[in-house]
Amino acid sequence: MSQRLIIRAVRLLLMVVAGGVFALLAAMAGSSVLGMRAASAAPVTTCTTSNAGATANVSLNGTTVTLSVDGSNNLQVATGTGTPTACGSFPTVTQITFTGSATTQTVIFDMTQAGGAIPCTASLSGSLVSSGSSGLLDILAANGPGVTVGSDGINLDACTAAQGSLTGIGTWKLEGTGGSTVLSAEGGSGTNPVTGSVIFVAGTGGETFRSATANTAIDLSNVTCATGPCSLIVNTTGSSFGSSPSVAASTAVFTDSGAAVSYTYDFTGTGADFTSFTGLSGGSTTFAAGNAGGYTFLGNGSGNTADFFAATSGVNVDMHAGPGTVGSPAQVTVPSGTDNVSGITSITGSSAGGNTFTAGPGPTSYAFTAAGSGNTFTGGSGADTFTATGNNSTFKPGTGSATINATGTTGNTVDFSRLSGTVNVNVTGSPLSSPYP
């Protein structure tokens, strides 16, 4: 073969090799681009309009989405903590449709913004999630207009009829801002309750809550203590409670003594369906309970009390594991069941007597109070206070200090058998100094 032919053959071979390399690089680049396109194709929260602006289409991807109306009547949509963007305006928008692509989703309707509630002329449809019912719909009500949700639809602004329905909702959260707002989960006629769980969040100013769904919760931790001292009484006894103030059945009363204001929160009607209560963050809360059982009381601030004075027979208070937390509450056995208490260290027993109190470990201090006779108080390793007004009660101090206030006249006993070592008891009426005789 001639030298010229050899050179041409080598050139051809180089061209073939280079072509293969280029093809491989192109294939890799194409694969990378496709990968990037696939990644970018992951569902995102978007809002677009169609039908000449009459329909706002909200696509959900699992990140919290907030809808509101601004002062120019624009529908604003925000993802997470991001800046809201306009998606049509009212009254042009007459339909808001949701399409969920995740199995969990939170959607917030914030009606506290300048434009108020989504107007009655706009209807709601679609699903918050792709499947199941793990969506949470959170409605922040404006001061004044009522909000009603139920199996017959959603009504955001005291409209004459429901504004449509949404599916995939497992939890309904209705938040008040105070000022006589009525929040209802019973439906338009009051007989069509929602399915799933219901949480009411109270605002500062008094509200009315309605629910026919079992295990409904009321969270009063957002009620603001402006001046103080502030207190809250939650009455689940089924009858009036207290005297200053007197709190009606299925009602909570907030008092800010320094500001000379008082607000009432009403959960009458189907009050038996309200079983979980969260107290004030700033101030003290008294939870008044009776025979029924099945309640959960969570105290947030300091000086919280669970009061079982209305129970018709003695209660059994078991705080041995501590004051309790949300995940691990302490328990109180009442005549017809058991109540869970968390963040509470002061317990008042039944007026009938026969109460049993067991304190938890230190350094927490417990205060147990009982009327009637035949009560038993058992202390822990903290500084405990026992108060009894009847007879034949037994006080068993623990390894911590104990203050015993007994006004009965007969049969009361102080039992030191739980202590080890020497115990010196002075009943002379005069102080003694060491060394003791």
Side-chain angles (χ1 to χ4, degrees):
M1 182 180 296
S2 67
Q3 185 175 3
R4 182 176 299 176
L5 289 176
I6 292 173
I7 292 174
R8 287 180 178 177
V10 170
R11 287 177 178 173
L12 180 60
L13 179 60
L14 290 173
M15 290 175 63
V16 170
V17 171
V21 171
F22 286 131
L24 178 60
L25 291 174
M28 292 174 62
S31 174
S32 176
V33 170
L34 288 174
M36 287 168 33
R37 288 176 179 170
S40 65
V44 295
T45 300
T46 59
C47 184
T48 60
T49 58
S50 59
N51 299 326
T55 302
N57 305 288
V58 183
S59 299
L60 307 168
N61 75 334
T63 304
T64 298
V65 172
T66 302
L67 280 72
S68 61
V69 182
D70 66 17
S72 299
N73 289 323
N74 295 311
L75 173 63
Q76 297 284 347
V77 180
T79 302
T81 58
T83 302
T85 57
C87 185
S89 62
F90 302 106
T92 302
V93 173
T94 58
Q95 178 78 34
I96 304 174
T97 301
F98 294 88
T99 303
S101 62
T103 55
T104 60
Q105 178 69 54
T106 296
V107 171
I108 301 172
F109 290 157
D110 184 357
M111 303 190 300
T112 66
Q113 301 305 308
I118 294 173
C120 300
T121 54
S123 61
L124 308 169
S125 64
S127 178
L128 269 59
V129 293
S130 58
S131 61
S133 56
S134 295
L136 185 154
L137 182 61
D138 185 354
I139 302 174
L140 278 66
N143 189 357
V147 172
T148 300
V149 297
S151 60
D152 55 354
I154 299 172
N155 190 329
L156 298 174
D157 195 22
C159 304
T160 56
Q163 295 168 268
S165 298
L166 297 173
T167 60
I169 301 173
T171 302
W172 302 79
K173 189 174 184 180
L174 307 182
E175 302 194 46
T177 54
S180 302
T181 300
V182 178
L183 304 176
S184 173
E186 295 181 325
S189 63
T191 58
N192 296 296
V194 298
T195 57
S197 60
V198 179
I199 303 169
F200 292 97
V201 179
T204 303
E207 283 139 355
T208 297
F209 307 121
R210 295 288 180 264
S211 176
T213 301
N215 301 319
T216 296
I218 299 179
D219 183 348
L220 295 126
S221 62
N222 284 350
V223 179
T224 301
C225 179
T227 304
C230 294
S231 62
L232 174 72
I233 300 175
V234 178
N235 183 10
T236 68
T237 64
S239 59
S240 61
F241 175 85
S243 57
S244 292
S246 177
V247 181
S250 299
T251 300
V253 174
F254 167 83
T255 302
D256 185 337
S257 299
V261 296
S262 180
Y263 307 130
T264 298
Y265 299 87
D266 183 339
F267 53 99
T268 57
T270 54
D273 292 308
F274 293 85
T275 58
S276 179
F277 297 88
T278 301
L280 299 177
S281 294
S284 63
T285 302
T286 297
F287 302 96
N291 290 337
Y295 289 99
T296 297
F297 302 123
L298 172 60
N300 268 325
S302 59
N304 302 306
T305 299
D307 191 320
F308 298 90
F309 189 84
T312 56
S313 60
V315 301
N316 181 10
V317 180
D318 183 5
M319 310 288 285
H320 76 276
T325 61
V326 174
S328 181
Q331 293 188 328
V332 180
T333 303
V334 296
S336 298
T338 300
D339 293 334
N340 294 320
V341 297
S342 302
I344 297 171
T345 57
S346 178
I347 308 287
T348 299
S350 166
S351 61
N355 301 286
T356 301
F357 303 92
T358 302
T364 302
S365 299
Y366 296 88
F368 298 142
T369 302
S373 298
N375 303 292
T376 301
F377 301 82
T378 301
S381 56
D384 302 321
T385 301
F386 306 141
T387 302
T389 59
N391 299 317
N392 301 313
S393 291
T394 300
F395 305 89
K396 300 179 179 181
T399 57
S401 64
T403 300
I404 300 172
N405 303 304
T407 59
T409 57
T410 60
N412 290 318
T413 301
V414 180
D415 181 351
F416 295 101
S417 62
R418 299 177 66 238
L419 303 180
S420 59
T422 302
V423 177
N424 295 294
V425 180
N426 179 14
V427 294
T428 66
S430 300
L432 296 177
S433 57
S434 179
Y436 304 111

